[in-house]
Amino acid sequence: MESTVAQKLEALTKLQSIDSQLDELIKVRGALPEEVMDLEDEIAGYETRVNNHNSQIEELELAISNNKTAIKDSEKLIQKYEEQQMNVRNNREYDAITKEVELQQLEIQILEKRIKEAYANIEAKNEAIQDTKNALEERQKDLDSKKGELDNITTESQEEEDKLLKGREKAAKSIEERLLLSYNKIRGNVRNGLAVVPVKRDACGGCFNIVPPQKQAEIREKKKLIVCEHCGRVLADVEEVIEEEKKPTRTRRKAAAKK
């Protein structure tokens, strides 16, 4: 059985009331959830940086090991060439072997330079790792503090929040899917989260723009869903303003006459 417009408005108003209460609970937490997420992202970045430095150190250590092996190979070749020099038959062979020895000696110098540079890089990276770990430790303390604060606030309101969430789920089921999607879309587009509002003092309860009398009459009839032409919020009702009866003021002349 299809719901009447009045029933739809009642269901939307109830859902809005629950969502507004949930918004208030979230507001109490302030910026803490975002701060916790930012700190977690920052810590993850530091951890990635440390891992990258460690990987680069492993590569440098492997390069050092390979270069040391290459130096030993060059030293063996030099020894071999020097032994061959003892058995040369002419100056040309001697010069050729001498040139090979010099090339291997130059190769050793280059390899030793690379090893020295690699050790310097490792030292710099170890310092960078220590600095990063120090920063990470400080951020971890901040995160633990913020998390503790957030957990305390969340624990205090958890029971109420669970109750509201169950109520919201029940309320949402009574609203047709298309209307619920529209409601959620409006809530996502407005700053204060109000998608369903009444007309107060002839103005929209969301954007405070004037609602014409004819439109107010249609809202009261509840025969169709009316939305604010300025902000798109659903106008669920018109709040009647009860004006207090003004007491007659006594003038000075009347007061004097009584005397």
Side-chain angles (χ1 to χ4, degrees):
M1 185 176 176
E2 188 175 347
S3 302
T4 64
V5 171
Q7 288 171 332
K8 290 177 181 179
L9 287 169
E10 185 181 353
L12 284 171
T13 302
K14 184 177 181 181
L15 182 61
Q16 179 65 74
S17 174
I18 294 171
D19 280 337
S20 293
Q21 291 177 72
L22 284 166
D23 290 343
E24 285 301 315
L25 287 179
I26 292 170
K27 196 183 294 183
V28 171
R29 297 168 192 167
L32 279 174
E34 288 77 13
E35 289 175 5
V36 167
M37 287 178 63
D38 289 343
L39 284 168
E40 286 175 341
D41 290 342
E42 191 174 353
I43 287 171
Y46 283 137
E47 289 172 344
T48 300
R49 196 180 302 174
V50 169
N51 290 334
N52 288 339
H53 283 318
N54 282 327
S55 296
Q56 290 165 2
I57 287 173
E58 287 178 4
E59 291 174 3
L60 288 167
E61 287 175 342
L62 179 61
I64 288 170
S65 177
N66 291 337
N67 288 333
K68 285 181 176 179
T69 300
I71 287 174
K72 288 180 180 178
D73 292 340
S74 292
E75 287 172 344
K76 287 178 182 178
L77 285 173
I78 290 172
Q79 185 179 358
K80 177 185 173 182
Y81 292 142
E82 286 176 345
E83 288 174 358
Q84 288 178 352
Q85 276 183 327
M86 303 299 292
N87 301 313
V88 294
R89 289 169 292 181
N90 52 55
N91 288 338
R92 195 171 77 178
E93 287 182 3
Y94 184 87
D95 291 341
I97 292 173
T98 300
K99 192 170 183 180
E100 288 295 331
V101 169
E102 289 173 351
L103 285 173
Q104 290 304 316
Q105 289 172 338
L106 180 60
E107 179 68 15
I108 289 172
Q109 290 176 8
I110 292 171
L111 291 169
E112 286 176 341
K113 183 181 178 183
R114 287 177 183 172
I115 289 171
K116 187 177 179 181
E117 289 173 348
Y119 276 126
N121 281 336
I122 288 173
E123 186 178 352
K125 290 193 179 297
N126 278 325
E127 289 177 2
I129 286 172
Q130 190 56 52
D131 290 341
T132 305
K133 283 183 175 179
N134 291 338
L136 193 153
E137 188 177 341
E138 289 300 316
R139 287 293 176 269
Q140 188 63 54
K141 289 178 183 177
D142 293 339
L143 177 60
D144 292 341
S145 175
K146 295 288 183 184
K147 269 189 171 181
E149 192 178 344
L150 181 60
D151 287 344
N152 287 336
I153 294 172
T154 303
T155 301
E156 289 174 2
S157 60
Q158 193 62 55
E159 186 177 344
E160 185 181 356
E161 184 176 352
D162 290 342
K163 185 178 177 181
L164 287 170
L165 287 171
K166 285 180 182 178
R168 188 191 193 283
E169 186 179 355
K170 184 178 178 181
K173 285 180 180 178
S174 66
I175 302 171
E176 59 185 82
E177 187 178 354
R178 180 186 59 81
L179 192 56
L180 184 61
L181 286 171
S182 298
Y183 166 84
N184 289 330
K185 185 177 180 181
I186 296 170
R187 255 179 66 79
N189 290 335
V190 294
R191 189 175 297 176
N192 57 10
L194 294 176
V196 182
V197 294
V199 174
K200 293 183 178 180
R201 297 185 180 275
D202 299 327
C204 168
C207 66
F208 309 112
N209 280 293
I210 296 297
V211 179
Q214 178 58 38
K215 188 76 72 176
Q216 291 186 42
E218 292 176 3
I219 295 166
R220 287 189 182 96
E221 290 175 354
K222 298 184 186 295
K223 290 183 178 178
K224 61 179 179 178
L225 292 174
I226 307 294
V227 298
C228 175
E229 60 186 19
H230 298 284
C231 65
R233 291 177 171 90
V234 176
L235 300 173
D237 202 356
V238 178
E239 289 190 2
E240 302 295 342
V241 179
I242 302 173
E243 294 186 3
E244 293 184 7
E245 188 178 341
K246 293 182 179 179
K247 295 180 180 180
T249 56
R250 293 174 64 186
T251 63
R252 287 183 181 179
R253 186 176 296 175
K254 286 182 179 179
K258 283 188 177 183
K259 289 182 180 179

